Amino acid sequence: MSGIESVVPTATGAHVTVLAGTPLHQLNELLWARGLSMQNLGDIDTQSVAGAISTGTHGTGSAFSGLAGLVVGLQVVLADGSVVDCSRDQGPDLFHAARLGLGAIGILSKIILDCPHAFAMHAHEAPDTLDNVLRDLPHICETVDHFEFYWWPHTRRVLTKRNTRLPLDTPLKPVGKVTGYISDEFLSNLVFEQTSRLCTRVPAIIPRMNWVAARLLSEREYTDRSYRVFVSSRRVRFREMEYAIPVDALPGVLADLEKMIDTSGELVSFPVEVRFAAADDVWMSTANGRDSAYIAVHKYWRQDYEAYFRAVEEIAVAAGGRPHWGKIHWRTAADLREVYPHFDAFSAIREKHDPQHLFGNDYLAKVLDYRIPAEPV
Ligand SMILES: Cc1cc2nc3c(=O)[nH]c(=O)nc-3n(C[C@H](O)[C@H](O)[C@H](O)COP(=O)(O)OP(=O)(O)OC[C@H]3O[C@@H](n4cnc5c(N)ncnc54)[C@H](O)[C@@H]3O)c2cc1C
């Protein structure tokens, strides 16, 4: 189920009906050919549109929502086999639940996305210090369309990424083939894989390795089609946990995180990724009702991750954090009800449309507090 079914022009771009299984990389090309773009994207483009919105996939940009916030209509196959269209005006409760439905509401078959006219994007990556970034954060978030940074634990160094939206007719200056290979493939994937293996065998070298990595970071700028700037190649396997916290809590949470790493003896070779999103009104969105900062922590897949992730989770939860639905966490329905104002409304819609829990599974039983029926339905 992939491809674009229809395009209805709007003042700012178009409402595009997409078949739910369309991979984002395919969608980006299809949109571009029609003079359209995705408003925002995460780090990769291999997900299906349905998988991405159903788990709350987001990118960065304090004026932009995650992908579910761009949905203006849906077609859902419900547990009883009925096929239902919904939007803000037509079945709004089903719409609010199903546009980030965790697979619990029904099977999405079509998704209508609000897409802007195609735009180019200028990328500026630069090394900096954590103190500088935190000091200037409100100003940076206000003036840069899509800002994120990576902080190397055991150092005070960061890599900042500032992406600025530009008109479509801006001359493009993409990363050259050789530079792109060295930076994005050789260093970010091949060398990183080898250093990750080395750090797993000899963890004591991690602080020194991070110190070296943070000093090797260099500045670069390029301009390309928006979707090519949003997305990167990620080929080193890792485990990840990510928490959305109120944006004002970010400096305190990072300070607690650094203190925890320094005092626990935890050795962390992967940088901590920090991103931003505007408040949205998607019921189960990690940014529902509040401007949010995202803190993502990673461990190379051959390394133990649980003690580190649990310690980070404790810090994020104390700040009112909400875990990414598609990444590792240990929160349960009782915890999540506390941080999602629409948790019970979502549960009521799920129960109404799937009373026999056809779409239940172990993960949903944990986070949505419903029992999988003893007998198969
Ligand atoms: C390397 C990597 C980088 C990532 N970067 C980011 C990032 O930058 N930002 C971010 O927020 N996340 C990120 N993620 C997480 C990723 O976006 C989510 O895990 C996403 O859900 C995966 O999409 P998928 O198509 O593989 O989903 P799938 O695994 O196919 O589906 C995920 C879930 O979505 C639901 N679902 C799927 N299809 C349907 C359907 N048709 N109807 C109803 N429900 C459905 C189901 O509940 C399913 O379990 C990253 C993941 C990886 C592995």
Side-chain angles (χ1 to χ4, degrees):
M1 297 184 68
S2 67
I4 288 179
E5 192 183 76
S6 65
V7 176
V8 178
T10 63
T12 53
H15 286 172
V16 181
T17 302
V18 180
L19 297 181
T22 312
L24 291 174
H25 60 88
Q26 189 182 325
L27 178 63
N28 290 331
E29 299 281 353
L30 293 171
L31 288 175
W32 195 264
R34 290 161 173 79
L36 299 164
S37 286
M38 286 292 281
Q39 192 72 267
N40 204 352
L41 287 166
D43 285 344
I44 57 162
D45 60 5
T46 53
Q47 311 95 315
S48 67
V49 185
I53 66 166
S54 298
T55 55
T57 297
H58 63 91
T60 191
S62 45
F64 299 92
S65 74
L67 270 60
L70 311 175
V71 175
V72 294
L74 292 167
Q75 185 184 73
V76 197
V77 183
L78 296 172
D80 64 3
S82 57
V83 181
V84 180
D85 293 308
C86 61
S87 66
R88 277 182 198 282
D89 304 323
Q90 185 185 356
D93 284 353
L94 179 61
F95 172 70
H96 287 308
R99 64 188 160 145
L100 201 169
L102 306 168
I105 305 294
I107 299 172
L108 304 177
S109 45
K110 292 178 194 173
I111 296 162
I112 308 176
L113 293 166
D114 184 21
C115 297
H117 294 301
F119 59 97
M121 200 143 69
H122 175 254
H124 181 196
E125 301 171 1
D128 207 332
T129 66
L130 185 58
D131 296 317
N132 282 347
V133 168
L134 291 180
R135 191 193 58 226
D136 297 340
L137 198 58
H139 176 69
I140 300 173
C141 283
E142 217 170 272
T143 53
V144 179
D145 293 324
H146 303 275
F147 176 69
E148 67 181 305
F149 65 92
Y150 292 84
W151 163 55
W152 269 260
H154 315 292
T155 80
R156 302 288 292 169
R157 309 284 297 178
V158 300
L159 176 70
T160 60
K161 291 191 172 191
R162 291 172 166 82
N163 292 338
T164 303
R165 300 156 81 100
L166 295 171
L168 184 58
D169 57 3
T170 308
L172 301 184
K173 282 191 201 148
V175 180
K177 273 209 171 97
V178 176
T179 323
Y181 176 77
I182 293 173
S183 174
D184 301 327
E185 190 54 38
F186 183 70
L187 290 176
S188 300
N189 284 315
L190 298 175
V191 172
F192 193 36
E193 172 71 34
Q194 294 311 317
T195 56
S196 296
R197 285 176 186 226
L198 187 59
C199 289
T200 308
R201 278 204 299 277
V202 195
I205 65 167
I206 288 176
R208 177 50 59 102
M209 198 64 106
N210 285 8
W211 192 88
V212 172
R215 265 153 193 80
L216 286 178
L217 299 171
S218 58
E219 191 167 358
R220 72 168 174 168
E221 296 188 50
Y222 55 94
T223 303
D224 208 338
R225 296 179 179 188
S226 52
Y227 64 90
R228 291 182 181 157
V229 176
F230 279 129
V231 166
S232 310
S233 155
R234 293 265 191 278
R235 296 202 300 105
V236 177
R237 290 183 68 190
F238 56 84
R239 292 195 177 82
E240 178 171 348
M241 185 177 73
E242 185 173 44
Y243 261 86
I245 55 170
V247 70
D248 294 340
L250 179 65
V253 167
L254 282 177
D256 288 349
L257 178 53
E258 184 173 32
K259 200 160 134 201
M260 181 276 287
I261 291 173
D262 290 347
T263 55
S264 65
E266 191 64 59
L267 295 167
V268 183
S269 57
F270 266 65
V272 175
E273 185 179 14
V274 180
R275 294 184 277 184
F276 303 89
D280 63 43
D281 66 351
V282 182
W283 282 358
M284 298 303 265
S285 163
T286 46
N288 178 275
R290 66 189 197 194
D291 292 333
S292 300
Y294 288 89
I295 296 192
V297 293
H298 313 74
K299 280 263 178 150
Y300 181 55
W301 69 285
R302 295 169 196 267
Q303 295 172 349
D304 289 338
Y305 62 93
E306 189 166 339
Y308 175 47
F309 283 13
R310 282 189 184 271
V312 176
E313 178 163 81
E314 199 179 314
I315 293 167
V317 165
R322 296 167 177 159
H324 191 300
W325 294 108
K327 301 183 184 181
I328 293 169
H329 70 88
W330 289 272
R331 298 282 88 192
T332 62
D335 309 316
L336 295 165
R337 177 175 280 113
E338 298 288 314
V339 285
Y340 280 96
H342 301 283
F343 191 94
D344 289 332
F346 180 88
S347 300
I349 291 293
R350 185 198 51 68
E351 196 63 31
K352 175 178 168 191
H353 293 294
D354 185 14
Q356 292 189 288
H357 306 167
L358 179 69
F359 298 119
N361 59 39
D362 289 347
Y363 178 69
L364 294 180
K366 187 178 91 164
V367 298
L368 295 182
D369 198 16
Y370 67 154
R371 324 271 175 263
I372 301 172
E375 298 298 324
V377 285

